[in-house]
């Protein structure tokens, strides 16, 4: 519009800066809703389907050589859980469960070939080898070993928590990520990385408004013949720099232990300030 002087005609017809900003904000809200729907529903579902499809041909989903580690804290003790891999049908394989008492002493260890997550907050362990270690107060000092075909283990570790340990946290939905953060905090585990990802999911759709506002001052620049290419290139660089800054601040905030919400919101605040400054200088003053 600006290159073909159509925006100039709109301005002379009564389109003021604030009305143009309001129109762009309405368009930006549509992009916010679209970004939230894709990032919070479609992308996690598609990524989970892609991982299961990959596991159908590779045979498993795993992390490194030892798999994923989780922690479960209960009334009379706590558990360290190691999941080797996730099969295409949703079963857990290579399960190791270490039980500790409230003093931090190892009391038992369970090895299971597979596990199925039930809906009643319990795992159904298959082919379990259980080893119970004597306590310090025990006089016998014997280690007891038993083997059972099936064992029900009550816990609060859901399928989504196992998935986030085996998959990328940024591909989770906001609700699942929030529940996993609560689980980590309840078990006295570090949740800084996941909190940053959570707040990035909250603030990232709002960055659409920032990019839209940043585009408005370009319409008030006087274009010359062929000069629009440089402005388009500058706009592309602005978008790329925002994406890079958003990722860099996530790593810096995790290393420096910044507030998660501030780490996620800072790139948007910086570019909002740049957008409003450009809007005030180019549009209102000039």
């Amino acid at each position: 519009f600006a290159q073909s002087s159509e925006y100039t005609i709109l301005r002379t017809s009564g389109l003021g800066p604030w009305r143009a900003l309001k129109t762009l904000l309405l368009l930006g809200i549509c992009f916010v809703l679209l970004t939230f729907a894709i990032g919070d529903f479609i992308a996690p579902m598609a990524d989970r389907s892609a991982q299961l499809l990959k596991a159908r041909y590779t045979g498993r989903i795993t992390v490194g050589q030892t798999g994923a580690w989780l922690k479960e804290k209960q009334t009379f003790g706590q558990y360290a859980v190691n999941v080797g891999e996730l099969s295409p049908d949703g079963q857990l394989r290579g399960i190791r469960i270490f039980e500790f008492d409230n003093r931090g002493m190892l009391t038992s260890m369970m090895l299971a070939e597979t596990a199925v997550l039930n809906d009643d907050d319990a795992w159904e362990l298959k082919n379990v080898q259980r080893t119970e270690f004597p306590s310090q107060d025990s006089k016998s000092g014997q280690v007891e070993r038993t083997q059972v075909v099936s064992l029900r283990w009550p816990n609060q570790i859901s399928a989504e928590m196992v998935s986030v340990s085996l998959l990328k946290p940024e591909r989770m939905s906001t609700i699942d990520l929030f529940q996993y953060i609560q689980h980590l905090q309840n078990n006295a585990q570090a949740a800084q990385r996941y909190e940053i990802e959570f707040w990035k999911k909250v603030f990232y759709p709002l960055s659409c408004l920032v990019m839209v506002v940043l585009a408005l001052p370009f319409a008030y620049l006087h274009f010359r013949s062929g000069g629009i290419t440089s402005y388009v290139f500058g706009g592309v660089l602005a978008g790329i720099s925002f994406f890079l800054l958003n990722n860099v601040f996530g790593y810096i905030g995790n290393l420096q232990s910044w507030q998660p919400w501030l780490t996620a919101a800072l790139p948007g605040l910086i570019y909002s300030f740049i957008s409003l400054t450009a809007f005030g200088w180019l549009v209102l003053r000039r």
Side-chain angles (χ1 to χ4, degrees), residues 25 46 59 68 78 109 125 135 143 168 214 270:
L25 289 178
Q78 53 186 345
M109 178 181 66
L125 304 176
S135 62
V143 177
K168 296 180 180 180
L214 186 61
I270 293 175

Side-chain angles (χ1 to χ4, degrees), residues 177-195:
L177 194 55
F178 178 77
Q179 292 176 348
Y180 186 66
I181 291 172
Q182 295 297 316
H183 174 78
L184 292 177
Q185 292 177 346
N186 293 335
N187 290 277
Q189 292 181 276
Q192 178 81 5
R193 175 193 174 192
Y194 301 98
E195 287 179 339

